[in-house]
Structures are given as C-alpha cells and as structure tokens.
Amino acid sequence: MEKKIYKKIQKYNTIVIARHIGPDPDAVASQIALRDSIRKTFPNKNVYAVGASVSRFKPIGQLDRNNIDVSDALLIVLDVPNIARIDGVNFTDFKEVIKIDHHPFVDKMGALEIIREDASSTCEIIADLILNTKLIMDEEVASSLFIGIASDSDRFLLPTTTGKTLSIASKLLNDYHLDLKKIYNILYERPFDEFKFQAYITLNMTITENGFGYLKIDNEKVKEYGVDSSTASILVNNFNFIKGLIAWAFVSYDEKQELYKVNIRSRGPIINDIASKYNGGGHKYASGARIKNASDVDVLFSELDDACQKYNEELLGNMDS
Ligand code: AMP
C-alpha cells in the first residue's frame, strides 16, 4: 500500500493535504510533515497543507492558502475517518483521494486507504510511509512527526503506545538528532491562566459513585480565568490516572456555532459508540460530541455514567469468578 501511495504522489503535480476540523497536534503535524517531505522529494510539485489555522499550533508549522485549483489534484486526507469532518476542502472537487488514519473506519474516501487503528497516531503511520518509500526524511520532518506521536500517545502514556511506536520514535530521535527541549516546549508550555483554570475544573467537577466525572463549563468562568472556550479540550487529557475516576467529560458552549462541545476520555468503558449517538465519535477511549440542546448533554452524561456502572460491575464479576 505504501508503494502505491508513493506512486500516486509521484503522479500528481498538485497535492492538497487536509485533516479534521478542530485539529490537534497530531492532525497538524502529520499534514506539515507529509507536505514538507513531498516538497523536499519533489521540489517542482505544488503541495499544500490546508485547513483553519490554530494560533497555538503555529510553532508546529505554517499552513497554506486555500484558493487552489484542484480540478487535477490529489487530495490526501489525514487523521479523520468521516467526510463531514474534513476541514477546508470540498472532497468531491478532487481527481483522486487517499485517506491515512488511525481512527475506527467510518467513510470510504478513495481507492487507497491506510487505516491502522493500532497506530498511536497518524504521525506514526506517516513516519512509516516516509521511511518505507523514497520520500525524504530529515530533521525538520522527523521533528514534526515526533510532535504528533508524542502528543497523541500522551508522551507514550496511553495504551495506544506499542513497541512499534517506541521504535519509530527512537529512530526519529537517534537518526535525526531531534531537539527534545524545543519539541516539548512547543507541546507543553502553557499560560499560567490555563493552569489556574485546570485547578478550577479540578475543584468543581462532579464525580459520581460510578466513577464518572463531569463539568459543564460556564462561559463566564472561561472569561474570568482569561482562557478560551476550547481550553477544556486541551485540559481533558490531564485528568488521567485519578483513582476512582474511570471516565470523564467536559462540556463547553461554542457561541459562534451555537452548540455544546463535549470532550470525553475513559480508562474504563469504551466511549466512542456512545459519543457517535450524539453527533460525535473518535477513538475507543478518547471521543468528542457536538450537541445542540442542553438537555441532550444530560442524557449523554447519564449514558456515560451507566457505562461506568456496567464496567465496574463487569470488573467485579470477573474478580469473583
Ligand atoms: P477531542 O476531545 O476534541 O480531543 O476529540 C477526541 C477524539 O474524538 C479525536 O480523535 C477527534 O477527532 C474525535 N472527535 C471529536 N469530536 C468529534 C465529533 N463531533 N465527531 C466525530 N469525532 C469527533
């Protein structure tokens, strides 16, 4: 499959690389790394990484303009399983589409797809693609890839981390002399206000007797702490490994889109099948949902709480038997 993808890249003069709306570092880093590698390998091709830019991810790399003639172009979609969540391009305008992703399969996008649910990150798959073809890997590309791998595996903490993840990360680190201090500054340096807001969440979240934690974040509080409404999506990852907390969700209201954005994480029950009932989806243990009515948020929370209860009961049942 990697060789077939390389041949398609060789064939097209214009290549656009897209990813999901509301990007995370893996989504942005994978498109920047693949774009830079293709540009270095084929300097005469027009290669663009597109989608709305997020100011906090600018140090990962600059995205490109979006008024491109794509009638004869190849689209490579990264880190997104469904067509509706592709950012910045009209999927049907392109001559051909390739998808590379590590989410559970949702929509078919083209004849060539690499879907590896066992991969820690899309960057891990792109690293494999580059290392196994004639695409160029250098310090800049390797550094972007390491950012995506480290971030999506939560610094190799999540169970999505495999021996393969570590061996690819090790190869990038050793062979391309990465500057870890610089990389971790890009990923983890944050404003003190955000740290204070994390303390607010910690002090105010409710944890049910089943181990489900939740907080509805008020936009007044967001203003008071000097953060923005998307901050909860970043902080949600910091609540792992708390005793008695097996799944947790934060909800914030997006005034522009007039909907509730829910970030859900679990180290117990599988949550993406629940999220998918609420205009959401994602990974088994890291999902999101977009909800119009406040009452549906409560229904989602109660379903997540039930899932925690069931998980605990099954765990107890297994211990008894
Ligand atoms: P987040 O909580 O936004 O970091 O998202 C966690 C995971 O769920 C990521 O893989 C997202 O791509 C995915 N995700 C978030 N929101 C949605 C949604 N509304 N529909 C489908 N997948 C989503």
Side-chain angles (χ1 to χ4, degrees), residues 203-217:
L203 290 172
N204 289 281
M205 71 191 282
T206 303
I207 302 180
T208 69
E209 59 180 15
N210 299 316
F212 173 59
Y214 63 91
L215 182 66
K216 294 176 184 173
I217 295 165

Side-chain angles (χ1 to χ4, degrees), residues 197-251:
F197 190 58
Q198 183 174 320
Y200 164 77
I201 295 178
T202 310
L203 290 172
N204 289 281
M205 71 191 282
T206 303
I207 302 180
T208 69
E209 59 180 15
N210 299 316
F212 173 59
Y214 63 91
L215 182 66
K216 294 176 184 173
I217 295 165
D218 193 329
N219 273 346
E220 285 307 310
K221 284 285 166 209
V222 167
K223 278 189 207 128
E224 187 184 318
Y225 280 85
V227 292
D228 62 62
S229 67
S230 63
T231 308
S233 344
I234 302 152
L235 297 179
V236 71
N237 295 317
N238 296 351
F239 288 79
N240 208 348
F241 298 113
I242 296 171
K243 223 173 189 170
L245 185 64
I246 57 168
W248 58 103
F250 302 146
V251 56

Side-chain angles (χ1 to χ4, degrees), residues 20 22 24 79 81-82 85 103 233 236-237 262-265 278-283 286-290:
H20 60 81
D24 51 24
D79 200 38
N82 48 336
R85 296 190 79 238
H103 291 86
S233 344
V236 71
N237 295 317
V262 193
N263 304 99
I264 317 160
R265 298 293 183 269
Y278 298 84
N279 190 24
H283 300 284
S287 305
R290 304 287 178 266

Side-chain angles (χ1 to χ4, degrees), residues 117-186:
E117 257 193 80
D118 65 327
S120 66
S121 51
T122 299
C123 277
E124 180 179 323
I125 310 173
I126 299 296
D128 236 1
L129 171 71
I130 296 175
L131 291 168
N132 290 314
T133 59
K134 289 180 190 152
L135 287 170
I136 287 175
M137 179 77 83
D138 65 5
E139 186 191 336
E140 190 185 23
V141 174
S143 177
S144 300
L145 292 169
F146 192 93
I147 283 176
I149 296 171
S151 168
D152 240 37
S153 67
D154 200 0
R155 281 168 279 181
F156 312 103
L157 200 62
L158 297 178
T160 50
T161 306
T162 63
K164 181 160 185 165
T165 315
L166 293 176
S167 80
I168 287 179
S170 155
K171 184 168 180 58
L172 297 176
L173 201 56
N174 280 328
D175 295 1
Y176 301 95
H177 313 291
L178 303 186
D179 182 346
L180 272 191
K181 196 171 165 213
K182 189 171 149 201
I183 287 175
Y184 285 129
N185 265 335
I186 289 176

